[in-house]
């Protein structure tokens, strides 16, 4: 059933109010010190429907770093480049562990559980085309620009967040070194550096909802009609978002909301309603498992009100 644009506009405004209340119970991430500077009261949402309706509400002018939401796009970038051999090094199973967990790597010979946890994303970053981290990030940025229909060009790196993670990202360096031991990546320092840079690229909610549209549309940009990914690769990414997108909160999120989504510790969450819309949320106050409280609450309002859960009988 088509969604009434006016109803959607009203609902998005209502969702922001619910998001603001939910945010009151959380705090920004502190383990990357620079992220702790975010105002926990910031809340924003943007929705882009495939039939061309856009709406934005809340603190729409705030830029934030992609953090783990970038993992979806680096995977897409690498699959677009035809890197099917990636799946020899990275599995497709949910981990049930925290985003930066190292425990399973020993049991599973350094082969990460999936590309949406840190270890898996570091493998993907290490395989982006380019001779060094700077060149690899240009490859990645180019993908983001294509995904935005060439409407967004900046995707600037937040230097302070990048340096903050370089100074404190010992767990990620440990993951990279550990995987090097098993021959899963070649250069652990460069792999981690590329990953830190991609996590520090900035967007606002409207931009994030725009670049998520191809994921809701079978791999093709519904506006420019450019194909970014094959339908099969796109389906694979959307499936992985459903099973692995919110770390060890993914089961609860499936029950509560029920859509493919990916969160990041900056407070970003990208939700995809296949065939319908892309929804970007931002709210840096996080819950105990590192996911945006406002982001989840806003998705819950929209999805449940419009009965958009992928598990809904329609
Ligand atoms: N750069 C962050 C880290 O690796 C990303 C984690 C996240 O957003 O969940 O710790």
């Amino acid at each position: 059933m088509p969604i009434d644009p006016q109803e959607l506009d009203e609902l998005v405004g209502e969702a922001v109010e619910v998001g603001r209340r939910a945010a009151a119970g959380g705090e920004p991430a502190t383990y990357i010190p620079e992220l702790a500077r975010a105002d926990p009261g910031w809340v924003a949402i943007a929705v882009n429907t495939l039939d061309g309706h856009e709406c934005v509400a809340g603190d729409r002018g705030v830029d934030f770093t992609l953090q783990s939401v970038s993992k979806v796009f680096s995977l897409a970038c690498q699959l677009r480049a035809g890197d099917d051999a990636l799946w020899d090094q990275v599995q497709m199973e949910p981990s049930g562990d925290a985003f930066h967990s190292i425990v399973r790597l020993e049991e599973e010979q350094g082969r990460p559980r999936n590309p949406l946890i840190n270890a898996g994303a570091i493998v993907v970053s290490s395989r982006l085309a380019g001779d060094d981290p700077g060149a690899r990030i240009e490859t990645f940025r180019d993908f983001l620009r294509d995904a935005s229909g060439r409407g967004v060009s900046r995707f600037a790196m937040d230097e302070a967040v990048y340096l903050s993670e370089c100074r404190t990202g010992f767990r990620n360096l440990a993951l990279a070194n550990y995987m090097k031991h098993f021959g899963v990546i070649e250069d652990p320092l460069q792999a981690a550096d590329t990953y830190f840079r991609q996590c520090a690229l900035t967007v606002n909610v409207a931009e994030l909802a725009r670049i998520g549209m191809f994921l809701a549309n079978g791999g093709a940009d519904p506006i420019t009609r450019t194909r970014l990914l094959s339908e099969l690769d796109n389906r694979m990414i959307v499936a992985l978002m459903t099973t692995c997108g919110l770390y060890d909160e993914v089961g609860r999120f499936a029950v509560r909301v029920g859509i493919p989504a990916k969160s990041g510790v900056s407070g970003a969450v990208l939700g995809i309603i296949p065939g319908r819309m892309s929804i970007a949320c931002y709210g840096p106050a996080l819950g105990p498992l590192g996911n945006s409280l406002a982001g989840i609450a806003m998705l819950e309002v929209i999805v449940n009100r419009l009965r958009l859960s992928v598990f809904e009988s329609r």
Side-chain angles (χ1 to χ4, degrees):
M1 226 212 293
I3 295 163
D4 173 21
Q6 197 184 333
E7 185 188 355
L8 190 57
D9 290 347
E10 283 167 16
L11 193 52
V12 158
E14 204 181 303
V16 167
E17 295 316 312
V18 173
R20 289 203 197 282
R21 286 197 290 279
E27 289 297 328
T30 52
Y31 77 100
I32 300 174
E34 197 59 28
L35 291 180
R37 292 161 60 92
D39 180 339
W42 281 330
V43 172
I45 183 168
V47 179
N48 279 33
T49 67
L50 297 190
D51 54 17
H53 185 63
E54 295 173 21
C55 44
V56 192
D59 301 297
R60 64 186 75 195
V62 180
D63 281 348
F64 51 88
T65 54
L66 281 170
Q67 296 302 332
S68 280
V69 176
S70 69
K71 293 168 179 171
V72 168
F73 298 112
S74 55
L75 177 61
C77 178
Q78 221 16 47
L79 293 180
R80 178 170 78 162
D83 186 10
D84 293 331
L86 171 69
W87 302 115
D88 297 338
Q89 309 293 6
V90 182
Q91 308 177 62
M92 295 178 179
E93 298 302 329
S95 72
D97 298 318
F99 59 99
H100 49 22
S101 177
I102 201 167
V103 284
R104 283 178 199 266
L105 276 185
E106 175 152 35
E107 289 160 12
E108 297 176 359
Q109 285 72 48
R111 208 169 148 240
R113 271 274 154 144
N114 66 68
L116 302 185
I117 52 171
N118 288 13
I122 291 169
V123 175
V124 175
S125 307
S126 77
R127 298 168 76 95
L128 292 170
D131 291 338
D132 55 36
R136 289 188 192 121
I137 286 303
E138 276 322 302
T139 302
F140 180 54
R141 230 189 224 124
D142 230 43
F143 180 86
L144 295 176
R145 287 181 184 135
D146 283 349
S148 77
R150 294 266 146 191
V152 182
S153 56
R154 40 185 206 122
F155 300 109
M157 190 171 83
D158 185 325
E159 201 74 28
V161 171
Y162 163 65
L163 292 174
S164 188
E165 188 159 18
C166 289
R167 278 194 290 269
T168 55
F170 299 110
R171 283 187 81 115
N172 286 323
L173 286 163
L175 293 171
N177 279 307
Y178 210 61
M179 292 190 289
K180 166 69 182 170
H181 168 81
F182 287 103
V184 169
I185 57 175
E186 275 177 23
D187 185 327
L189 289 179
Q190 286 212 2
D193 189 33
T194 308
Y195 170 74
F196 294 156
R197 289 173 194 238
Q198 84 178 48
C199 286
L201 297 189
T202 53
V203 290
N204 59 39
V205 268
E207 291 166 347
L208 182 55
R210 174 68 184 92
I211 60 177
M213 285 180 90
F214 74 94
L215 292 166
N217 191 45
D221 183 335
I223 296 173
T224 64
R225 310 262 166 221
T226 311
R227 178 154 290 285
L228 287 121
L229 278 184
S230 71
E231 280 188 42
L232 192 61
D233 282 338
N234 194 73
R235 202 182 78 184
M236 200 178 328
I237 294 177
V238 175
L240 285 166
M241 291 172 78
T242 312
T243 53
C244 314
L246 271 88
Y247 308 119
D248 37 349
E249 198 169 350
V250 76
R252 192 175 153 73
F253 181 77
V255 172
R256 218 177 126 184
V257 184
I259 58 166
K262 182 74 200 87
S263 64
V265 285
S266 53
V269 191
L270 174 66
I272 297 300
I273 318 282
R276 311 294 289 266
M277 64 181 80
S278 157
I279 309 175
C281 300
Y282 173 62
L286 307 182
L289 298 173
N291 295 311
S292 170
L293 290 172
I296 293 179
M298 291 191 287
L299 288 173
E300 189 175 24
V301 168
I302 291 178
V303 169
N304 288 341
R305 191 72 64 78
L306 299 176
R307 302 193 53 168
L308 293 171
S309 163
V310 297
F311 304 112
E312 189 94 51
S313 310
R314 278 182 269 230

